[in-house]
Structures are given as C-alpha cells and as structure tokens.
Amino acid sequence: MSFDIWPGETLGLVGESGCGKTTIGRTILRLTEPTSGTVCFEGNDVSKMKPETLRRLRQNMQVVFQDPYASLDPRMTVADIVAEPLVVHKVGKRDEIQKKVLKLLEVVGLSSQHANRYPHEFSGGQRQRIGIARALALNPKLIICDEPVSALDVSIQSQVINLLEDLQSEFGLTYLFIAHDLSVIHHISDRVGVMYLGKLVELGNVDSIFYNPWHPYTEALLSAIPVLDPTVKRNGIVLKGDVPSPIDPPRGCRFHTRCSYAETICWEVEPLLVTSDCNHAVACHLRKPNNIIKQDI
C-alpha cells in the first residue's frame, strides 16, 4: 500500500470486508504496529517514534470508530468522555476544559443538558456525535473515520455526513474516510482508493473513479450500487468464487481468480500501480492508462 493524503482533503477508502481498510487506518495511528514500511505524518516517520514523541503527535491524529456504543465507556458521562483527551494531554485548567467540552457538544449538535448523561441514554446518531466531539477535542489535523455511519439508520447517516463536512470546512480537517457504502464515499470524498485483498488496485479523483473506472474490481463494486429509478434495469457484475485467503494470496494479480478478463500474465506477474498524467492510478495488466508518468511498487 502506498498513498498520500493532502491537507484539507477527504480520501475515501473502499473495498469488501476483510480487505484491510481498518488495518490501514489503525496502522497510520499506530494502534496496530506496522511490520514493514513507513507511515509519515508531516515528514515525520510515525512508525519509528518513541512513546513520548508519539504521545505528543496523537494530538494531531484522531479517530472516529465504527461502533458508536462500543467506543464509549458506559461508566463515564458525556462530559468526562469528551474531556478525557484534554485531561490526558494536560490541555487547559479544569474550568477551561469544562467550557471547551460544552462548546464541542454544541458544535456537534448536542446541548449542555447532555453533558451529565451516560452513553446508553442516547441514540446511535447521538453517540456517534459524542465520538466526533471527542475526536475534535485536541484540534487535530487528521481524523481517521472508520466506517462512522455504517451502524446508523440512513436518515441519521446523512446527518452525520453533513456534520463531518461542516466541521471540515470550519476547522480545515483532513479525513481518511473508510467505508463500504459507495454512495457515501461518492458524496463526501475528494479522491477514492479501492482496495482488494490488502492491495490498492485503483486510486483517483472521485468522479474519475465513479464515471470512468479502469479496474475490473471497481467496475463490479459500482455495478452493485442500487438505482433509484425502478424503470431502469441495471446489469450487475457478479463476481464468481470466494475471496482468497489474505494469509496465502494467489500468485500474480490477486484479483485474477475472480476476474472475467484475466489472461496468462495475470496469473504469473503482479501488476504495478500505474499512474497517468490525470492522477488516475490502476494496478491492472490489461487496462494500463495512456500517458503513464510513474510506477509505484
């Protein structure tokens, strides 16, 4: 895996369950230790930082977890949950922390009346707002959003997505947005990366990915998006077979066991991630873009 996230943008990361999306997010934050390679944040290698240096860096790197209930301590009040990052990093005095907590709750659409309540007293959408408030407490630059709306109802999803967009505009946030819902990714992302079995198979501008996909796997994902018009019939691409084991991936292109276009070279040689001059990258032997400007291993 090799990619960049630029300040102020939202990079969407999609792929089926088990492809490694959450592992990527956790590795960036060093909640999961990388086995090789580097993770750089503003030019500093996170993977080699000592504990104290990493602790200071965590103020700039936060996370919103997938499950809005499991990620909140049921024994702590909302005020204590949101204040915890400030207390741990010793940011401000007690009165200043209390004022900031109330302000953060207002920012995410809650009120001061919610401060002394416990997580079980809130709906799923409200709990996710609490998680977002906690992530904002230290004024971070990067937030890893690990499927933050997948556990919510559709109507609540739109509220949380709009909240994240408003917060990004207000605070200049950068998001790595991990999801499997392509409609959500299309709505919130500036660029999209498509993962399959631990590898990045396509990366590009959101409109380029959705309206001009190059990789067969991306085509299959997009064909599964429901069409709102009942009169329109869509021919979905059905992938045959099961996903290979990530412990023992197939030789060559990892997608060749399920790809209807696969040829001999796909079984033998792993494709490189090739980037065109329009910043659209794809890892496919049969669909190499014109005007190649570089190759990433």
Side-chain angles (χ1 to χ4, degrees), residues 1 3-6 9-14 20-29 62-64 141-148 164 168 173-179 185 188-189 191-193 195 200 203:
M1 289 286 294
F3 61 89
D4 298 312
I5 307 177
W6 306 111
E9 80 161 347
T10 299
L11 175 64
L13 197 59
V14 300
K21 303 186 299 297
T22 296
T23 301
I24 289 295
R26 292 178 63 87
T27 302
I28 291 174
L29 297 169
Q62 292 294 309
V63 59
V64 178
K141 297 178 180 178
L142 171 67
I143 296 182
I144 307 295
C145 300
D146 184 11
E147 301 197 30
L164 290 172
Q168 185 174 40
L173 300 171
T174 303
Y175 293 143
L176 174 63
F177 196 94
I178 298 168
I185 287 291
I188 197 172
S189 300
R191 290 189 301 136
V192 178
M195 282 188 68
L200 203 60
L203 177 67

Side-chain angles (χ1 to χ4, degrees), residues 89-189:
H89 289 274
K90 300 178 181 179
V91 179
K93 298 180 180 179
R94 183 174 180 179
D95 292 342
E96 295 173 338
I97 291 176
Q98 290 178 346
K99 290 179 181 179
K100 185 160 187 178
V101 167
L102 296 180
K103 183 179 179 180
L104 285 168
L105 292 178
E106 292 178 2
V107 166
V108 299
L110 299 175
S111 70
S112 58
Q113 297 177 354
H114 295 123
N116 294 320
R117 298 181 185 179
Y118 291 87
H120 73 270
E121 299 180 71
F122 295 89
S123 66
Q126 289 175 317
R127 286 197 291 263
Q128 197 60 288
R129 288 171 185 264
I130 296 168
I132 293 171
R134 178 177 59 185
L136 291 173
L138 294 170
N139 299 319
K141 297 178 180 178
L142 171 67
I143 296 182
I144 307 295
C145 300
D146 184 11
E147 301 197 30
V149 297
S150 63
L152 307 177
D153 293 336
V154 174
S155 60
I156 305 301
Q157 285 185 12
S158 61
Q159 295 178 18
V160 174
I161 292 296
N162 291 334
L163 172 63
L164 290 172
E165 290 184 318
D166 292 341
L167 294 174
Q168 185 174 40
S169 300
E170 183 176 352
F171 298 105
L173 300 171
T174 303
Y175 293 143
L176 174 63
F177 196 94
I178 298 168
H180 58 261
D181 189 330
L182 292 171
S183 59
V184 171
I185 287 291
H186 190 199
H187 179 77
I188 197 172
S189 300

